[in-house]
Amino acid sequence: SAAAKLQAEPIVGARFLALSPDGGKIAFSYLGDVWVASSDGGRAIPITNNVEMDDRPVWSPDGKQIAFTSNR
């Protein structure tokens, strides 16, 4: 799958980076979806996966949720 291929390669061009309140994770926009990774590096996991444009992630103050914009 495309997501598996992307996770095996470095992500170049991530946008709208958002550090979680505890500093442990980073959310970002990449190829029209929102992804999350450890702030120490490692595998990024997509949290959205659709044909619509999802971007500008923002963490909730408690770090349990992520809000983002979408053109749905």
Side-chain angles (χ1 to χ4, degrees):
S1 79
K5 183 178 186 294
L6 290 174
Q7 290 181 25
E9 299 174 6
I11 292 178
V12 178
R15 304 176 335 143
F16 305 111
L17 287 79
L19 189 62
S20 64
D22 67 3
K25 295 181 182 176
I26 189 161
F28 57 91
S29 298
Y30 182 66
L31 297 179
D33 287 308
V34 176
W35 296 63
V36 173
S38 169
S39 59
D40 293 333
R43 174 174 261 175
I45 299 171
I47 61 169
T48 64
N49 183 13
N50 58 69
V51 298
E52 304 301 335
M53 175 64 82
D54 300 328
D55 62 6
R56 301 182 189 269
V58 178
W59 291 90
S60 63
D62 64 6
K64 294 181 180 179
Q65 298 180 30
I66 300 172
F68 58 90
T69 62
S70 181
N71 67 349
R72 296 173 204 207

